[in-house]
Amino acid sequence: MMSDTTTKIDIRNLNLDKLSVFLKENGEKAFRAKQIDEWLWKKSAKSFDDMTNISLSTRELLKQHFTINHIAVDKMQRSNDGTIKNAVKLFDDMIVESVLIPTSTRITACISSQVGCSLDCNFCATARLKRMRNLNADEIYDQVAAIMQQGEEYFERPLTNIVYMGMGEPLLNYQNVISSIEKITSPKGLGMSPRRITLSTVGIPKMIKKLADDEVKFKLAVSLHSAIDETRSQIMPINEKSNVTELLESLQYWYTKTNRIVTFEYVVWKGVNDDKRHIDALVKYCKKVPSKVNLIEYNAIDDPRFVQASSDVIQLYVNQLEKNNITVNIRNSRGKDIDAACGQLANKEE
Ligand code: SAH
């Protein structure tokens, strides 16, 4: 026998209008649609029986026709620094990971956009997983809603920021990512400000231009790691398809259209990009587009080619950038002990 999840469609694929039409066609009052929609999004109902102000007969009708493919937090791990990592089970039993990162002022949700990843960045653990599929908009939304609840439950604080920096490449799942952000920012959804959302991408010029054309309101971060093509192509194969010059052009386009600066994510490794040539190239690159730099601590993924550079070299980067009036932050890892830090999400428990 086939399970519900394969025979019935997810009710969240219907927008409010379609839901109203369905209800009317089945002899129900159309205004119920609004209540049901509220349960589905704002209140994150996991089943039709959660919908206590909807009559039993209406709930039965919904059950006959639809399912709710809500994610389930399958396993939760807590780091000694407070970070929480969730193994999230999807309706087809696939797993992605999401992370709650607490600081004194923020609760940040780091969420996944794909099951696995197709990009093969040499230094990233997620790259070792095959890309299985894109996440649907509601699967992305559910990760945020779940972390919002965990923020209240474990820290008694609201969610303040969302970063699309988990598994997968968000710009290779464009429409679902955009739809998820629409729902997350909608007053009918989680009501978050788009300015508190950052999308991190490996840097796909065509899609960055599309973001700009679509006039999105969230922030953009780009995983640069080197402003020199030869180096970047060695560690990030995507750079062979579109080089740093094309990337820069797309970012200039982004800035012209949105007036929002770009954040470059950058890890410094011994013998890879820890010399003056790379520092100078980064400074020159940053001067060509309004931007700031986050120097990210490397999280080792047992590959001998990659070793975190010395703090002296990191300081050289900081000095040179600051001397040129480019904002730079050093980002220390969170949740390392439970493999929850950048580049470590790899379903290790599986
Ligand atoms: N695909 C997107 C988002 C996922 S990666 C992107 O490439 O931006 C989130 C960030 O972690 C990226 O900046 C990525 O380059 C970085 N990262 C990957 N592996 C890492 C590692 N082992 N240590 C530190 N940062 C890493």
Side-chain angles (χ1 to χ4, degrees):
M1 204 179 90
M2 288 221 281
S3 76
D4 275 5
T5 49
T6 52
T7 52
K8 294 177 189 168
I9 58 165
D10 188 335
I11 190 167
R12 290 185 295 176
N13 292 341
L14 271 64
N15 61 22
L16 194 56
D17 287 344
K18 286 196 179 139
L19 192 55
S20 303
V21 171
F22 169 83
L23 289 170
K24 262 191 259 172
E25 280 173 0
N26 285 276
E28 298 277 339
K29 297 270 188 297
F31 73 85
R32 294 273 172 228
K34 235 177 122 186
Q35 292 175 316
I36 295 167
D37 189 78
E38 191 164 279
W39 277 110
L40 291 173
W41 297 103
K42 214 171 191 165
K43 299 181 185 163
S44 273
K46 293 185 177 64
S47 82
F48 293 110
D49 288 326
D50 289 350
M51 304 181 177
T52 45
N53 63 352
I54 305 294
S55 75
L56 280 175
S57 62
T58 310
R59 282 188 237 164
E60 269 318 306
L61 173 74
L62 297 175
K63 278 186 214 170
Q64 277 167 22
H65 289 84
F66 305 108
T67 177
I68 305 175
N69 287 335
H70 207 281
I71 62 155
V73 174
D74 201 39
K75 188 170 178 218
M76 196 188 114
Q77 284 171 280
R78 276 194 90 168
S79 159
N80 50 31
D81 68 18
T83 300
I84 294 177
K85 181 170 84 169
N86 298 307
V88 167
K89 192 178 254 180
L90 310 173
F91 71 91
D92 55 2
D93 286 345
M94 292 207 181
I95 303 271
V96 292
E97 292 177 338
S98 69
V99 185
L100 180 160
I101 307 148
T103 68
S104 56
T105 52
R106 293 177 173 192
I107 298 281
T108 300
C110 174
I111 54 171
S112 294
S113 56
Q114 297 182 312
V115 185
C117 190
S118 59
L119 287 175
D120 294 323
C121 301
N122 294 173
F123 47 83
C124 179
T126 310
R128 293 176 180 176
L129 304 174
K130 223 178 110 201
R131 176 198 164 282
M132 303 302 287
R133 69 169 173 88
N134 284 337
L135 295 193
N136 305 322
D138 50 77
E139 292 170 325
I140 301 173
Y141 178 94
D142 288 350
Q143 293 174 63
V144 178
I147 289 178
M148 200 175 235
Q149 280 172 13
Q150 290 175 334
E152 296 291 352
E153 190 176 341
Y154 297 98
F155 302 90
E156 290 170 19
R157 275 157 52 196
L159 182 67
T160 57
N161 298 77
I162 301 167
V163 293
Y164 283 69
M165 289 187 194
M167 297 169 139
E169 170 48 47
L171 294 189
L172 292 179
N173 184 14
Y174 191 90
Q175 198 43 55
N176 289 321
V177 164
I178 296 294
S179 305
S180 71
I181 293 173
E182 278 166 8
K183 274 285 177 200
I184 290 165
T185 54
S186 162
K188 289 197 185 113
L190 301 176
M192 296 281 301
S193 162
R195 285 174 181 77
R196 295 184 170 274
I197 301 177
T198 303
L199 183 151
S200 173
T201 175
V202 75
I204 301 165
K206 205 173 95 190
M207 303 315 284
I208 290 173
K209 286 186 178 166
K210 183 164 168 52
L211 283 178
D213 287 336
D214 288 347
E215 295 178 12
V216 299
K217 298 285 180 267
F218 49 82
K219 295 195 276 189
L220 182 64
V222 173
S223 303
L224 188 61
H225 303 308
S226 172
I228 297 175
D229 274 322
E230 195 195 344
T231 307
R232 195 166 191 265
S233 294
Q234 266 171 22
I235 58 177
M236 303 172 75
I238 185 86
N239 197 68
E240 281 166 24
K241 286 196 194 132
S242 54
N243 60 27
V244 294
T245 311
E246 283 171 66
L247 178 58
L248 182 66
E249 277 164 14
S250 72
L251 296 173
Q252 289 164 334
Y253 185 83
W254 159 271
Y255 184 77
T256 315
K257 287 242 161 175
T258 66
N259 218 20
R260 254 167 290 138
I261 71 163
V262 178
T263 300
F264 289 121
E265 295 155 289
Y266 201 101
V267 179
V268 190
W269 292 280
K270 260 186 196 142
V272 174
N273 55 358
D274 65 342
D275 53 20
K276 189 166 181 313
R277 198 166 67 94
H278 284 89
I279 298 177
D280 291 345
L282 177 63
V283 169
K284 206 171 144 198
Y285 201 78
C286 290
K287 280 180 152 177
K288 289 183 183 153
V289 64
S291 53
K292 65 172 186 166
V293 175
N294 281 351
L295 293 174
I296 308 178
E297 183 185 335
Y298 173 56
N299 303 303
I301 59 155
D302 86 64
D303 182 326
R305 288 173 299 174
F306 296 102
V307 179
Q308 163 86 40
S310 70
S311 46
D312 290 352
V313 178
I314 309 276
Q315 200 50 51
L316 283 181
Y317 263 97
V318 172
N319 295 348
Q320 273 314 106
L321 288 162
E322 285 182 343
K323 209 191 265 175
N324 287 278
N325 296 319
I326 299 154
T327 305
V328 52
N329 294 299
I330 296 180
R331 289 266 183 261
N332 291 319
S333 297
R334 303 292 307 274
K336 247 182 170 174
D337 54 329
I338 54 166
D339 287 321
C342 289
Q344 292 188 312
L345 301 183
N347 300 346
K348 268 205 186 161
E349 301 299 315
E350 276 304 281

